[in-house]
């Protein structure tokens, strides 16, 4: 059974930094996409960033230049370094794993999320 567990959220002042981690346990395909989504109160879930098993990365325009995604395939872990945080970054950050992407076997797995609050 595949499980995703996030950590690293918390309260930070505007302009501060946080580093989120997401550990994946269970047997997963070596070809996959890992990513971070976020959901702010009263808003829909939005994609923040993704990284493929080959290292290709995409960012949403709202975080480009401030957030950095990385992964350690040996540890089945994805990280999100968040710098220059703004109050509008406040949300539950949710880790996603997509296996066998762009095939009929594609599956999505989700963590439970970690809360990030940016406030003075």
């Amino acid at each position: 059974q595949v499980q995703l567990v996030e950590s690293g959220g918390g309260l930070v002042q505007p302009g501060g930094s946080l580093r989120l981690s997401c550990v994946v346990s269970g047997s997963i395909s070596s070809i996959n996409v890992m990513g971070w989504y976020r959901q702010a109160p009263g808003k829909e879930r939005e994609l923040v960033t993704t990284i493929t098993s080959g290292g290709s990365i995409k960012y949403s325009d709202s975080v480009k230049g401030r957030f950095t995604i990385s992964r350690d395939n040996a540890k089945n872990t994805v990280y999100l370094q968040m710098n220059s945080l703004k109050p509008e970054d406040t949300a539950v950050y949710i880790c996603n794993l997509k296996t066998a992407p762009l095939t009929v076997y594609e599956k999505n797995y989700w963590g439970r999320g970690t809360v990030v609050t940016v406030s003075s």
Side-chain angles (χ1 to χ4, degrees), residues 33-110:
V33 180
M34 298 191 74
W36 292 92
Y37 289 68
R38 67 186 182 187
Q39 187 163 17
K43 294 188 177 181
E44 293 189 354
R45 186 176 296 185
E46 64 170 345
L47 175 63
V48 177
T49 178
T50 60
I51 182 168
T52 70
S53 48
S56 295
I57 294 172
K58 294 182 180 179
Y59 295 102
S60 68
D61 288 342
S62 61
V63 306
K64 202 172 292 183
R66 300 188 298 122
F67 290 11
T68 302
I69 190 171
S70 61
R71 62 188 288 168
D72 185 333
N73 291 330
K75 296 182 179 180
N76 279 349
T77 301
V78 64
Y79 305 97
L80 182 63
Q81 178 66 44
M82 305 186 294
N83 299 328
S84 303
L85 282 161
K86 305 175 181 180
E88 52 263 43
D89 294 317
T90 295
V92 178
Y93 283 72
I94 305 159
C95 183
N96 170 258
L97 167 68
K98 188 186 307 289
T99 61
L102 302 178
T103 74
V104 296
Y105 305 105
E106 179 178 297
K107 285 186 178 180
N108 277 286
Y109 300 91
W110 299 91

Side-chain angles (χ1 to χ4, degrees), residues 2-3 8 23 40 53 58 80 101 117:
V2 177
Q3 290 186 323
V23 179
S53 48
K58 294 182 180 179
L80 182 63
T117 304

Side-chain angles (χ1 to χ4, degrees), residues 5-9 19-23 36 77-80 95 114:
V5 179
E6 304 97 333
S7 61
R19 189 190 193 211
L20 307 183
S21 300
C22 172
V23 179
W36 292 92
T77 301
V78 64
Y79 305 97
L80 182 63
C95 183
T114 185

